[in-house]
Structures are given as structure tokens and as C-alpha cells.
Amino acid sequence: LLWHLYPLINNHENGLLKLAEKVNSHNPDYVFILGDSKLDKKNIVQKIEKIFKGKILYSPAYNESNKERTNYKENVGYFNKLIDEKDIRFILLDSNKNASEIKKILKSYLKKKFTKGPTVLMTHQRIWDDTLIREGHDKNFYFEEIYPIIKNEVNFIFAGNGKRQYFRDIKDAC
């Protein structure tokens, strides 16, 4: 799982290539790029797909999905994607949508039962946080809006971004 690759993209030799070497040393079946990686730029997507081994799958971040939506779609081919493999299911979710659109997407993907292994939901932003509800960047929704849909259906959730990474809700000690 990778996200926020944009600082490494500008430092190709010492950044992105070194990361790719490390990731590739594990012979991955999949590499997931969960946004904020300049995926609206065709040459960047081509570079990522050239230097990383395994199947490359994407989930858009706020900027890639909202500001450059058309370019992202042309480069990646999708905003949301369901992948049923022999022993695992992946759901790549565009978390930039509103709650009703996210619920609709999840319901449509989860109505087809999958019993061969775990279901893993991957998205750029976390999809719920009852301590901070807002629109725009790092948008999220109330637990009660999303959880009933994924309860007993999704085994793991990975999100590349969230306010907790900055501990914004912890007051300064000074």
C-alpha cells in the first residue's frame, strides 16, 4: 500500500526508484496506490506501472478525483473497482463521493456474496470518523451511515489519509 508519492515523483532517482526497488524485492502480486500521487498525469501513471512489479491498482485522492477528474479517469480507467480473486476480494473506493453515493457503490459491490476469503476495502480517505465530519478534503461520514452496509461483509479497511495522522484534535501542551 502506497500513497502520497508526489514528493518522491519529483526526486525520481533517489526517491521513487529506491522505493520501487524495495517494494519489488518482495515480489508483490499487487501494489495499491491510494492517491495523492499525481495520478492525473499520464506520464506519472506510466512511470509507476513501468518501475513497480505486480498488478498496480489505484484509488483517487481529493485532488486527483475532483480537480483533475477527467485526466485521472483516462489514466487509470476507473474511480471505483471490485476485484474478486481466487481467495480475496478487493474494493477500491473513491471516498470523495457523498455518503449516499458511497453507500450505493458499496451495496452494489457487496450484494454479490464472496465466501472464498476476506474482503479488503481500500480508499484514500477514511470513510467515517464521528469526531470530525466535513466536506471537501478528508471528507468523512458518521459511523452509523457506513457501518451497517459493511458490517459482516468487509474484513479489513485501509485508508491512506486521515486527520489522525496529524493529531489535530490533541491540544498543544503550552
Side-chain angles (χ1 to χ4, degrees), residues 3 5 7 13-14 20 35 40-41 47 53 59 61 73 75 78 88 103 110 120 142 144 148 150 152:
W3 61 92
L5 293 179
E13 293 300 319
N14 291 319
D40 57 308
K41 308 232 180 292
K47 182 187 298 187
K53 290 181 182 177
S59 179
K73 177 75 182 260
N75 297 338
Y78 57 87
I88 193 164
K103 291 189 298 187
L110 294 170
V120 181
Y142 288 113
E144 66 190 24
I150 63 173
N152 300 322

Side-chain angles (χ1 to χ4, degrees), residues 100-116:
S100 89
E101 290 172 304
I102 286 176
K103 291 189 298 187
K104 182 179 176 183
I105 292 162
L106 288 171
K107 284 178 184 176
S108 99
Y109 286 166
L110 294 170
K111 74 180 177 185
K112 180 183 167 201
K113 297 298 178 194
F114 186 77
T115 58
K116 300 174 192 168

Side-chain angles (χ1 to χ4, degrees), residues 51-78:
I51 65 172
F52 284 96
K53 290 181 182 177
K55 186 173 183 176
I56 313 296
L57 297 163
Y58 305 93
S59 179
Y62 179 73
N63 291 330
E64 295 153 335
S65 179
N66 292 330
K67 292 181 181 175
E68 299 294 338
R69 197 161 180 81
T70 302
N71 292 342
Y72 175 92
K73 177 75 182 260
E74 287 175 7
N75 297 338
V76 172
Y78 57 87

Side-chain angles (χ1 to χ4, degrees), residues 83-143:
I83 302 151
D84 285 341
E85 291 291 334
K86 59 184 172 218
D87 57 358
I88 193 164
R89 168 183 270 184
F90 298 111
I91 298 173
L92 293 148
L93 180 70
D94 178 0
S95 57
N96 296 293
K97 298 296 186 183
N98 64 42
S100 89
E101 290 172 304
I102 286 176
K103 291 189 298 187
K104 182 179 176 183
I105 292 162
L106 288 171
K107 284 178 184 176
S108 99
Y109 286 166
L110 294 170
K111 74 180 177 185
K112 180 183 167 201
K113 297 298 178 194
F114 186 77
T115 58
K116 300 174 192 168
T119 295
V120 181
L121 173 62
M122 287 185 264
T123 183
H124 180 70
Q125 289 109 231
R126 73 213 175 291
I127 54 175
W128 75 70
D129 183 345
D130 285 354
T131 65
L132 176 68
I133 305 301
R134 65 181 180 186
E135 292 293 319
H137 194 264
D138 286 344
K139 172 177 46 178
N140 46 57
F141 311 100
Y142 288 113
F143 176 81

